[in-house]
Amino acid sequence: MTRVILFNKPFDVLSQFTDKGLEGSTRRTLSDFIDVPKVYPAGRLDRDSEGLMVLTDDGKLQARIADPRHKMAKTYWVQIEGAPDDAALEALRKGVKLKDGLTKPAKVQVIDEPVKLWPRTPPIRVRKSIPDTWISLTIREGRNRQVRRMTAAVGHPTLRLIRAQIGDWRLGGLESGTWRDA
């Protein structure tokens, strides 16, 4: 029977079980939170991003989730600097030109701050003279740091990035640093 685990990855945690970086490194990894043998992450989430990760013991499922060719939708809650106008939102919807080419169209909408959002440690930088806005952004590809590059390209750098959904799996009320079987 296939095992699927949903994990709410905290900020500053590597999306792997071991740190192959510097010897003696104290960076936190998945092994600091999940003690389940033979499950592996289906895709990555940057160290400075938070939210939903799917782990499984099924290699075919892992590949289907992680491989951009399968175009599995991933939804992010993104706190951005400033208030995007219609032109910025429409650019995200149509596709944004990045150094590695045009992104595929995204679904985007302005949202209220997510309910029961856990505090981030350390907190984001706040500038009194510049407001921030939350958007929901759904993409079907997975370029390196794509969401951050997309929001920056339309003039609204990302302050906080939380993956809320992968396919039909949702973060739900899963607390930061905890996991559950799907």
Side-chain angles (χ1 to χ4, degrees), residues 21-93:
L22 305 170
E23 189 171 323
S25 172
T26 59
R27 297 188 299 185
R28 295 184 304 165
T29 66
L30 298 179
S31 62
D32 292 312
F33 300 91
I34 303 168
D35 186 19
V36 176
K38 299 182 182 174
V39 295
Y40 302 95
R44 302 183 61 80
L45 191 57
D46 294 330
R47 184 174 163 195
D48 56 354
S49 298
E50 308 163 70
L52 184 63
M53 288 189 70
V54 176
L55 296 92
T56 182
D57 59 0
D58 181 329
K60 288 182 182 179
L61 177 60
Q62 181 184 18
R64 195 171 73 235
I65 294 167
D67 193 325
R69 289 179 294 182
H70 297 291
K71 297 178 176 55
M72 186 169 281
K74 295 174 180 76
T75 299
Y76 298 84
W77 297 328
V78 191
Q79 186 177 18
I80 57 174
E81 188 174 272
D85 58 15
D86 290 338
L89 296 173
E90 191 59 26
L92 293 168
R93 288 183 186 114

Side-chain angles (χ1 to χ4, degrees), residues 125-138:
R125 66 176 164 78
V126 176
R127 299 198 309 196
K128 291 179 183 177
S129 62
I130 301 176
D132 59 73
T133 304
W134 283 92
I135 61 172
S136 173
L137 183 72
T138 301

